[in-house]
């Protein structure tokens, strides 16, 4: 046995998160339906009380694993509190789509917070998901900046649509909405400057962002979002592992001789990454000579526009990993002389 490798958890707890509180259940010493569930406030004191309860139930020397879903920033926050109390904890923050499918496989008729906590604990014991790696302070700040920017952009789009699509009988109401849009414009611009300044201020972010932006079609927001949401792309040994993690891998629907469905993106990863890559792919399909050729070839073969753009998204992400691994800026492939 490798002495440096952490021992696998003996007991697994499931944590179902909500805005003000969370439910926790411990698997391993009781049957599923008999598992006791406790509720705790979603704050640092609640994290401390949760850990004390788990130690009381499982024993002070038991190796504990916890599973929670990636729900907004609630999971990251609780995991940070818990690891500050006990760095030896194995905390997994998993994709809700995977745990939802697991819950359905149990054949439960109801869906409650208590059942979700129990199912998450059972999921941990059965699937033993990998431990969450806490981000560095500079990466956490970058994630906060990019996520708030995305929220404000979406709010601005919604406000503009409401102003455009609905005639306002009140001039004052229309003016108020226009003022909100101008405020959002100013705040988005401030966040753009803040993201650029943050990338320049931290060498661990400056070089990767510069390499990403060397690719035609990838702008600062795309580079920053991919960094914030996916971390160091070099941690993926193969490019297909990266595209699968980001939810860009094709999902086939072939079965027997009668089912021949269209392939679609699996969409199991970060929706934020897919959103910025879609915009980047729209630009790359026009201005990046390598990816424009790929896009046009797919269209010529009869691929739908969205499918062709999805392929460009995958190639962009693979290319971003490649320039990082090579530590060399992107250059277009040489063109044959006409």
């Amino acid at each position: 046995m490798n002495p440096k490798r952490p021992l696998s958890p003996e007991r697994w707890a499931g944590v179902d998160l909500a805005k003000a509180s969370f439910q926790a259940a411990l698997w391993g010493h009781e049957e599923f339906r008999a598992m006791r569930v406790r509720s705790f406030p979603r704050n640092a004191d609640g994290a401390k009380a949760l850990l004390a309860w788990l130690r009381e139930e499982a024993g002070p020397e038991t190796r504990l694993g916890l599973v929670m879903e990636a729900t907004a920033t609630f999971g990251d926050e609780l995991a940070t509190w818990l690891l500050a109390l006990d760095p030896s904890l194995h905390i997994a923050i998993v994709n809700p789509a995977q745990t939802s499918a697991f819950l359905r496989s149990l054949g439960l008729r109801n869906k409650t917070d208590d059942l979700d906590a129990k199912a998450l604990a059972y999921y941990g014991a059965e699937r033993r998901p990998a431990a969450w790696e806490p981000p560095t302070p500079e990466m956490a700040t970058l994630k906060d900046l990019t996520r708030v920017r995305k929220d404000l952009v979406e709010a601005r789009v919604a406000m503009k649509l409401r102003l455009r699509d609905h005639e306002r009988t009140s001039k004052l109401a229309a003016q108020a909405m226009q003022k909100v849009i101008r405020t959002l414009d100013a705040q988005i611009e401030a966040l753009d400057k803040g993201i650029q300044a943050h990338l320049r201020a931290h060498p661990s972010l400056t070089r990767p962002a510069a390499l990403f932006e060397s690719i035609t079609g990838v702008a600062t927001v795309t580079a920053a979002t991919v960094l914030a949401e996916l971390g160091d792309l070099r941690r993926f040994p193969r490019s297909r592992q990266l595209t699968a993690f980001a939810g860009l891998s094709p999902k086939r629907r072939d079965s027997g001789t009668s089912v021949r469905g269209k392939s679609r993106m699996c969409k199991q990863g970060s929706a934020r990454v897919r959103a910025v890559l879609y915009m980047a792919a729209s630009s790359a399909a026009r201005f990046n000579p390598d990816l424009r050729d790929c896009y046009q070839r797919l269209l010529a073969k009869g691929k739908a526009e969205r499918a062709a753009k999805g392929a460009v998204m995958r190639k962009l992400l693979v290319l971003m990993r490649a320039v990082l691994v090579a530590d060399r800026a992107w250059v277009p492939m040489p063109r044959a002389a006409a």
Side-chain angles (χ1 to χ4, degrees):
M1 180 181 295
N2 185 351
K4 294 184 179 180
R5 184 177 180 180
L7 295 173
S8 178
E10 297 173 319
R11 299 279 177 85
W12 287 85
V15 179
D16 185 65
L17 296 159
K19 183 177 180 180
S21 62
F22 59 87
Q23 311 290 109
L26 181 65
W27 174 266
H29 65 312
E30 294 175 319
E31 293 296 326
F32 182 86
R33 296 187 182 280
M35 267 195 289
R36 285 166 290 176
V37 181
R38 287 281 300 272
S39 179
F40 301 90
R42 195 183 63 80
N43 53 36
D45 289 338
K48 189 175 182 179
L50 166 65
L51 189 56
W53 178 67
L54 292 175
R55 291 298 181 200
E56 180 183 349
E57 289 289 314
E61 302 301 322
T62 303
R63 296 186 298 276
L64 290 172
L66 288 87
V67 180
M68 58 189 81
E69 293 178 332
T71 307
T73 59
F74 296 166
D76 292 11
E77 190 175 54
L78 180 57
T80 301
W81 289 330
L82 289 169
L83 288 174
L85 295 168
D86 185 354
S88 70
L89 291 172
H90 181 111
I91 298 178
I93 300 179
V94 297
N95 190 322
Q98 296 174 341
T99 54
S100 178
F102 182 81
L103 183 62
R104 290 195 300 272
S105 74
L106 298 178
L108 301 173
R109 294 188 299 274
N110 301 314
K111 178 175 171 54
T112 66
D113 293 341
D114 285 9
L115 281 175
D116 284 348
K118 292 179 181 182
L120 287 170
Y122 188 16
Y123 178 91
E126 286 285 312
R127 302 298 171 85
R128 298 187 173 272
W132 173 74
E133 296 183 8
T136 60
E138 58 266 27
M139 196 69 84
T141 299
L142 183 64
K143 182 180 288 189
D144 202 20
L145 288 167
T146 55
R147 288 189 173 187
V148 171
R149 183 191 184 280
K150 182 176 185 296
D151 291 342
L152 295 188
V153 168
E154 290 176 348
R156 181 177 64 181
V157 169
M159 189 66 71
K160 285 183 175 180
L161 289 175
R162 290 175 63 188
L163 191 60
R164 186 194 70 185
D165 296 342
H166 302 281
E167 184 177 351
R168 298 291 155 187
T169 56
S170 167
K171 183 178 179 180
L172 180 60
Q175 290 173 341
M177 294 175 72
Q178 290 166 348
K179 186 174 181 179
V180 170
I181 291 171
R182 288 194 297 271
T183 300
L184 289 170
D185 287 338
Q187 294 306 312
I188 291 167
E189 183 180 356
L191 285 169
D192 285 340
K193 292 178 180 177
I195 290 170
Q196 292 170 355
H198 187 70
L199 291 174
R200 289 194 301 267
H202 299 279
S204 62
L205 303 176
T206 306
R207 180 61 176 170
L211 290 172
F212 292 165
E213 290 182 63
S214 72
I215 304 168
T216 301
V218 176
T220 302
V221 170
T222 301
T225 302
V226 170
L227 271 174
E229 299 296 332
L230 300 183
D232 188 347
L233 304 189
R234 291 170 294 191
R235 66 192 174 95
F236 296 93
R238 294 180 177 84
S239 58
R240 66 175 57 188
Q241 292 174 314
L242 169 60
T243 56
F245 185 83
L248 297 175
S249 294
K251 180 181 179 181
R252 297 179 60 184
R253 294 186 66 249
D254 294 345
S255 180
T257 59
S258 58
V259 178
R260 290 291 183 270
K262 290 184 178 180
S263 295
R264 301 179 185 274
M265 276 186 199
C266 62
K267 294 186 179 181
Q268 291 186 350
S270 170
R272 296 178 179 88
V273 169
R274 290 194 299 276
V276 295
L277 284 178
Y278 183 83
M279 298 304 295
S282 299
S283 175
R286 296 177 61 194
F287 303 112
N288 185 306
D290 298 341
L291 298 179
R292 181 181 60 222
D293 291 350
C294 168
Y295 181 70
Q296 294 297 336
R297 282 197 306 271
L298 291 171
L299 292 180
K301 290 180 180 179
K303 292 289 186 182
E305 182 179 346
R306 289 182 66 87
K309 200 163 288 185
V312 175
M313 290 167 65
R314 285 193 295 276
K315 287 184 175 294
L316 266 179
L317 190 57
V318 169
L319 198 53
M320 292 170 81
R321 175 184 173 275
V323 296
L324 202 57
V325 169
D327 194 26
R328 190 168 61 244
W330 172 80
V331 290
M333 295 176 63
R335 267 20 190 200

